[in-house]
Amino acid sequence: QNTAVPSVWTSDRGTMAQETAKSRWPKLVQGMIDDVCTTGAELGPTPALDEIKSIQGKLQKLKEEIIGDAELRQLENDGSADIAAYNQMLEIGRLTWLHCPWLYGECYLYRRVQLLFSTSTSWKGYDVFKRQKESTLVMSQKAVEELATRFTQVVINPAQPVKTLDDELARLVFAEMTELALWGNATDLSLLTNLSLDEIQSLQGKAAIEKSQQNIVDNDMSEVWQYLRTTQSSKPKRHIDIVLDNAGFELFADVLYAAYLIESGLGTSITLHAKCFPWFVSDVVPKDMDFLLEHLRSIGFNSLATQIKIYFELGLMRVEVDPFWTTAYSFHDIIRKAPELFQRLQDSHLTIWKGDLNYRKLTRDGLWPHTAPFKSSLGPLGRSGVRILALRTNKSDTCVGVESEKKVESLNREAPEKGWVRDGKHAVISYSDGC
Ligand code: F6P
Ligand code: MG
């Protein structure tokens, strides 16, 4: 069903795709230029300085290419297998920055930038977004403190261990923790609930959680809960995979979500999937996890940092990378292009996909009707046996799973110009059982 819907292109008028390509990409590359310039200014006259100056010049040219709507050219080979795939996808016709599939063009942009560093001598592992990621985490200190305190109250030192809660309370805690992970992907965290267990049990607490759910335009939380709760006693091995999105506050929220899933017994171990090189500005690379733990210690959350470390040491949590995540393929292609990874996801108790880009890749960035079922937008993944839970705040053109046309119309009225698909204040908790 609906396999023929096109993916959004950067030439599609009035789309987020077009706006991003025209105005955000040049600014994004300017941000990279500023970063390497700062790094260069910290160096004495060395070959490394000459090299970073040359990278700076190439970034400047890249920015001009985007503004001038140049043709996307073949990527040079840095020895990684993904280059051939990028170049092969270029063969669909003449693509330019402002006339290409958005998903492809954006992935290609980050891969082009990575090439500048991977083919250098002194800057191979350089993270051009490190400064930005780290300073954003430092600036979110208040939110980090609130979340750490909240998590300690509910999960680490609760009045009653999460594993022993009755069904109704356990469901409410699951709802709160899932929403924390969801809204961790938003820029605006004002929708976070912050309630005690007693408050959660009270009518007022439930009302607060329900209120924050008003902006969730497709919400399959109860289906996921049913599945996790009923399999908790029937399946001994309940490994969960979380495909991460951003570093900083979101990573912190995701790690705590993973810890909650283990402590509650809903899962028995967790793999956190990160990227192998800097990607979409703030996506997690493994080093971001080290910085998060250091940061927690530096602001006085030593025991929480130690607790997280212990999960890793015991093998209950681990961070992994796979080159598939940084290809331009949509996840519809995972079966053919990354069969081993796919197999692991098939074997997983539940796969959780964070954020907007993962959602775009799950849905092939397709311009589906907003009422299309989530499962059908997943293409072959919809019936592949992979259980998929997407936790995504809406920041692009695609959004499916809305219950009716009437609901779409009312969202369009409340948030004109498709604001609800793009503003990061609306979200989806979409689930497919893979069958
Ligand atoms: O808003 C545009 C954008 O840069 C998209 O390219 C991308 O889908 C998204 O933001 C990144 O968001 P997230 O970190 O939630 O994947
Ligand atoms: Mg991201």
Side-chain angles (χ1 to χ4, degrees):
Q1 190 197 345
N2 281 330
T3 46
V5 308
S7 302
V8 61
W9 281 51
T10 56
S11 42
D12 289 339
R13 285 225 184 136
T15 57
M16 185 79 176
Q18 188 177 50
E19 187 192 317
T20 302
K22 275 195 170 162
S23 76
R24 299 169 87 182
W25 286 350
K27 284 188 202 135
L28 178 81
V29 180
Q30 184 58 49
M32 301 179 205
I33 296 171
D34 295 344
D35 176 84
V36 295
C37 187
T38 308
T39 298
E42 289 164 359
L43 296 173
T46 50
L49 175 61
D50 295 338
E51 201 174 33
I52 202 143
K53 280 188 176 162
S54 144
I55 292 175
Q56 188 180 332
K58 288 177 185 160
L59 285 169
Q60 184 62 39
K61 286 209 179 86
L62 176 62
K63 182 179 153 189
E64 285 155 18
E65 257 188 50
I66 297 171
I67 294 171
D69 192 21
E71 186 168 350
L72 303 185
R73 61 165 170 78
Q74 296 263 313
L75 297 178
E76 69 188 283
N77 195 346
D78 67 355
S80 305
D82 61 336
I83 293 291
Y86 271 100
N87 287 340
Q88 196 188 9
M89 289 164 91
L90 268 182
E91 282 159 19
I92 62 171
R94 184 178 184 273
L95 299 180
T96 67
W97 290 101
L98 303 183
H99 180 66
C100 64
W102 182 22
L103 185 57
Y104 177 80
E106 203 153 47
C107 295
Y108 170 93
L109 171 59
Y110 288 93
R111 190 64 182 90
R112 271 277 294 267
V113 171
Q114 171 60 10
L115 264 176
L116 298 178
F117 298 106
S118 64
T119 55
S120 74
T121 307
S122 308
W123 302 97
K124 283 192 190 307
Y126 187 74
D127 184 346
V128 70
F129 305 120
K130 182 170 184 279
R131 280 195 183 89
Q132 196 175 333
K133 284 187 278 193
E134 295 187 353
S135 70
T136 314
L137 178 61
V138 171
M139 282 184 317
S140 5
Q141 182 162 341
K142 195 162 168 283
V144 169
E145 283 173 359
E146 277 178 18
L147 183 52
T149 309
R150 176 76 187 132
F151 182 77
T152 306
Q153 268 171 15
V154 178
V155 180
I156 305 275
N157 298 316
Q160 192 188 345
V162 268
K163 239 182 201 150
T164 63
L165 298 176
D166 67 50
D167 271 349
E168 178 58 2
L169 196 49
R171 185 182 67 79
L172 288 164
V173 170
F174 174 72
E176 188 190 344
M177 290 296 148
T178 303
E179 282 198 42
L180 285 167
L182 167 69
W183 294 112
N185 180 246
T187 38
D188 178 0
L189 298 171
S190 61
L191 291 152
L192 290 183
T193 53
N194 196 359
L195 306 160
S196 71
L197 275 185
D198 287 343
E199 280 168 328
I200 283 191
Q201 258 171 328
S202 76
L203 214 56
Q204 191 198 6
K206 284 182 191 164
I209 290 182
E210 273 158 25
K211 185 156 184 285
S212 73
Q213 290 176 352
Q214 276 169 12
N215 284 11
I216 302 174
V217 299
D218 177 31
N219 192 345
D220 299 330
M221 176 119 65
S222 56
E223 218 183 308
V224 187
W225 170 247
Q226 281 298 326
Y227 166 67
L228 288 176
R229 191 64 166 170
T230 49
T231 48
Q232 189 169 355
S233 45
S234 61
K235 258 176 95 179
K237 196 171 158 255
R238 301 181 296 283
H239 182 76
I240 294 177
D241 288 271
I242 302 182
V243 185
L244 295 171
D245 184 9
N246 301 316
F249 182 79
E250 182 170 358
L251 175 61
F252 181 49
D254 292 342
V255 169
L256 293 191
Y257 190 48
Y260 153 75
L261 290 168
I262 291 171
E263 290 298 328
S264 62
L266 295 173
T268 46
S269 56
I270 314 270
T271 298
L272 302 166
H273 296 268
K275 308 295 187 302
C276 44
F277 61 78
W279 186 246
F280 282 71
V281 186
S282 36
D283 279 31
V284 178
V285 294
K287 277 189 187 151
D288 295 322
M289 181 64 91
D290 303 334
F291 182 75
L292 172 65
L293 296 182
E294 269 167 44
H295 178 68
L296 284 176
R297 290 189 199 286
S298 77
I299 60 168
F301 287 96
N302 229 317
S303 59
L304 185 56
T306 305
Q307 175 77 28
I308 295 171
K309 224 92 218 223
I310 291 173
Y311 290 123
F312 284 106
E313 281 162 9
L314 294 176
L316 294 172
M317 272 189 215
R318 54 177 176 263
V319 177
E320 281 182 30
V321 295
D322 189 287
F324 180 73
W325 305 126
T326 44
T327 63
Y329 289 123
S330 92
F331 296 148
H332 292 201
D333 292 324
I334 192 171
I335 304 174
R336 284 183 305 123
K337 301 295 179 185
E340 281 172 27
L341 181 61
F342 169 65
Q343 172 75 58
R344 287 185 47 197
L345 300 181
Q346 261 186 328
D347 295 342
S348 184
H349 185 51
L350 178 70
T351 65
I352 302 175
W353 308 70
K354 291 295 315 286
D356 193 71
L357 177 65
N358 279 328
Y359 187 83
R360 287 173 57 196
K361 286 190 160 190
L362 283 168
T363 56
R364 200 178 35 77
D365 225 6
L367 292 170
W368 310 93
H370 296 308
T371 51
F374 178 57
K375 191 185 287 237
S376 69
S377 74
L378 297 172
L381 272 186
R383 302 205 185 273
S384 63
V386 181
R387 292 182 179 272
I388 295 177
L389 169 63
L391 300 178
R392 173 252 191 165
T393 62
N394 303 355
K395 304 176 196 161
S396 51
D397 294 301
T398 300
C399 185
V400 296
V402 182
E403 70 195 22
S404 64
E405 269 309 327
K406 214 167 144 212
K407 174 79 181 163
V408 173
E409 280 161 24
S410 110
L411 286 165
N412 284 342
R413 268 195 307 277
E414 275 166 36
E417 293 177 41
K418 291 267 168 87
W420 62 276
V421 190
R422 304 172 178 185
D423 62 10
K425 291 182 192 297
H426 292 77
V428 294
I429 297 179
S430 297
Y431 177 63
S432 160
D433 62 8
C435 309

